[in-house]
């Protein structure tokens, strides 16, 4: 029902809304379906409504669903939307060499302005609350956002601290390109998301149930670590950006559900002795996890510097008091382990 989507001024006055009048007006060009001009009118109507208005949110959600399900053509153009967006993205080598293709996809000023309105207006409906209590969540006052501020729900675990999450799943490839939802999440956002998840894991009370943050994080981390590994493996710039954020003294290395995240300097990849809670041996949670940790500075083995650090931590903890039997046994085993490695 377009009356629920478009402002009142888009429709004939009541005296011209009889069946006979509407038939006559339709013959004279009255539109019965939403088109590009109607989309702009609907967006402008949404942005003019009071911020926080539930009607604005519902109208925006309805509009996004319609656009997702019903592609259309630009005003005054016979070029389909998906073809018109091509020059907004990188072209293949063949396209760069073909001047005719460039001419065919050149956008008119009206088309460019239409795209700008859709992308830069604050009309996209976003989820108000995280799906799981404690998940880092960007929550400005408004339930509407611009395309540059949003991502799809499928990406929420990689960017929820910095991006708003769309309340509607966008499946149309045309609409995805129009809203720039096919652009990858930035290196800095995905790295800072790791730090945000670490903080959330420590600060969120543990709850039982399928939607518990403490249950979901271990399930989601392999995909996130693999994504970070792929970036640092393909780009030196990405490596520098991510390494500058995931510093050695910040807890971002997953060491298991009991302890959660630890600092890189407190972790090792291999260790034949259990040194928790001073030094953690990292679990193999994904094919690329160990490679990622090695690239970002996690030690491969338990070195002398680790043993010295453990002994210093124990001394500070005891405040000059005698060691407990369990601590004494641990120190003895630690020193024996070190002596054996030196002899080898």
């Amino acid at each position: 029902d377009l009356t629920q989507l478009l402002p009142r001024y888009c429709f004939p006055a009541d005296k011209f809304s009889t069946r006979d009048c509407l038939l006559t007006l339709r013959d004279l060009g009255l539109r019965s379906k939403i088109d590009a001009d109607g989309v702009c009118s609907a967006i402008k109507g949404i942005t003019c409504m009071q911020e926080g208005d539930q009607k604005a949110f519902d109208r925006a959600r309805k509009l996004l669903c319609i656009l997702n399900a019903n592609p259309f053509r630009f005003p005054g153009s016979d070029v389909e939307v998906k073809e018109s967006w091509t020059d907004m993205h990188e072209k293949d080598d063949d396209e760069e060499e073909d001047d005719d293709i460039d001419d065919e996809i050149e956008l008119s000023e009206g088309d460019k302005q239409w795209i700008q309105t859709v992308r830069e207006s604050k009309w996209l409906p976003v989820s108000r609350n995280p799906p799981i209590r404690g998940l880092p969540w960007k929550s400005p006052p408004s339930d509407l956002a611009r395309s540059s501020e949003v991502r799809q729900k499928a990406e929420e675990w990689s960017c929820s601290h910095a991006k708003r999450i769309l309340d509607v799943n966008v499946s149309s490839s045309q609409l995805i390109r129009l809203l720039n939802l096919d652009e990858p999440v930035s290196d800095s956002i995905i790295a800072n998301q790791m730090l945000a998840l670490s903080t959330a894991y420590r600060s969120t009370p543990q709850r039982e149930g399928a939607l518990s943050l403490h249950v979901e994080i271990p399930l989601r981390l392999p995909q996130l670590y693999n994504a970070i590994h792929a970036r640092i493996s393909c780009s030196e710039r990405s490596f520098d950006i991510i390494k500058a954020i995931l510093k050695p003294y910040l807890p971002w290395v997953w060491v298991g559900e009991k302890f959660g995240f630890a600092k890189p300097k407190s972790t090792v990849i291999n260790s034949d002795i259990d040194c928790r809670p001073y030094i953690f041996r990292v679990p193999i949670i994904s094919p690329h996890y160990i490679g990622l940790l090695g690239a970002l500075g996690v030690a491969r083995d338990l070195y002398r510097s680790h043993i010295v650090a453990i002994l210093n931590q124990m001394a500070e903890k005891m405040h000059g008091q005698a060691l407990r039997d369990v601590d004494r046994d641990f120190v003895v085993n630690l020193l024996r382990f070190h002596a054996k490695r030196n002899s080898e």
Side-chain angles (χ1 to χ4, degrees), residues 11-302:
F11 301 94
D14 291 340
K15 64 172 63 177
F16 295 102
S17 295
T18 64
R19 183 176 180 277
D20 292 339
C21 283
L22 290 176
L23 290 174
T24 302
L25 291 173
R26 184 174 297 181
D27 290 338
L28 294 174
L30 178 67
R31 291 165 293 182
S32 59
K33 296 181 180 180
I34 193 168
D35 58 8
D37 289 337
V39 171
C40 279
S41 297
I43 289 176
K44 290 176 182 177
I46 291 168
T47 57
C48 289
M49 298 176 75
Q50 187 174 359
E51 197 165 286
D53 189 340
Q54 181 63 38
K55 291 182 179 180
F57 179 85
D58 293 341
R59 182 176 290 184
R61 198 176 192 285
K62 185 177 182 67
L63 175 60
L64 187 58
C65 288
I66 289 176
L67 293 180
N68 189 46
N70 300 285
F72 54 87
R73 299 174 186 273
F74 278 119
S77 171
D78 292 330
V79 180
E80 290 190 2
V81 174
K82 62 181 179 181
E83 296 174 343
S84 298
W85 293 334
T86 306
D87 68 344
M88 295 297 220
H89 304 278
E90 294 182 0
K91 303 179 182 66
D92 295 334
D93 293 338
D94 292 341
E95 290 179 331
E96 292 176 347
E97 297 173 359
D98 192 339
D99 293 333
D100 292 337
I101 293 179
D102 289 341
D103 292 340
E104 289 175 6
I105 62 175
E106 185 175 355
L107 294 171
S108 69
E109 288 303 316
D111 291 343
K112 291 178 180 179
Q113 183 156 1
W114 186 88
I115 291 175
Q116 183 177 11
T117 298
V118 174
R119 286 180 174 173
E120 298 184 8
S121 299
K122 196 173 181 180
W123 71 276
L124 292 168
V126 292
S127 299
R128 299 177 175 93
N129 302 306
I132 297 175
R133 181 185 177 190
L135 180 67
W137 202 251
K138 187 175 178 64
S139 300
S142 177
D143 296 329
L144 303 173
R146 300 176 180 89
S147 65
S148 61
E149 301 170 339
V150 304
R151 301 301 297 187
Q152 297 258 50
K153 184 174 178 58
E155 300 175 283
E156 64 188 2
W157 281 89
S158 64
C159 63
S160 62
H161 81 285
K163 294 289 186 178
R164 309 296 307 280
I165 304 303
L166 282 173
D167 194 62
V168 173
N169 179 46
V170 178
S171 57
S172 165
S173 59
Q174 299 179 27
L175 188 56
I176 287 173
R177 289 195 296 273
L178 173 63
L179 299 177
N180 281 335
L181 296 177
D182 54 344
E183 295 292 325
V185 176
S186 72
D187 297 325
S188 59
I189 286 179
I190 198 171
N192 278 301
Q193 178 77 5
M194 184 63 68
L195 298 179
L197 288 173
S198 172
T199 300
Y201 192 87
R202 295 193 308 272
S203 60
T204 304
Q206 191 161 356
R207 302 174 64 188
E208 296 183 358
L211 292 180
S212 166
L213 185 73
H214 291 78
V215 171
E216 286 292 320
I217 280 185
L219 300 177
R220 305 283 184 166
L221 281 179
Q223 182 179 0
L224 193 55
Y225 281 126
N226 287 344
I228 294 176
H229 180 268
R231 289 172 183 240
I232 68 171
S233 301
C234 298
S235 166
E236 290 186 9
R237 183 173 182 274
S238 293
F239 177 82
D240 292 338
I241 292 172
I242 291 173
K243 189 173 183 179
I245 295 171
L246 300 181
K247 296 180 171 64
Y249 54 82
L250 296 176
W252 59 268
V253 180
W254 179 253
V255 295
E257 294 183 21
K258 182 177 180 180
F259 294 99
F261 295 86
K263 303 171 184 177
K265 66 178 184 178
S266 301
T267 59
V268 294
I269 295 174
N270 300 309
S271 176
D272 294 329
I273 185 171
D274 186 358
C275 299
R276 297 174 300 177
Y278 304 104
I279 298 292
F280 300 91
R281 178 182 178 180
V282 296
I284 302 176
I285 63 173
S286 77
H288 301 296
Y289 186 43
I290 300 303
L292 170 67
L293 298 183
L296 294 180
V298 173
R300 179 158 295 277
D301 297 299
L302 190 68

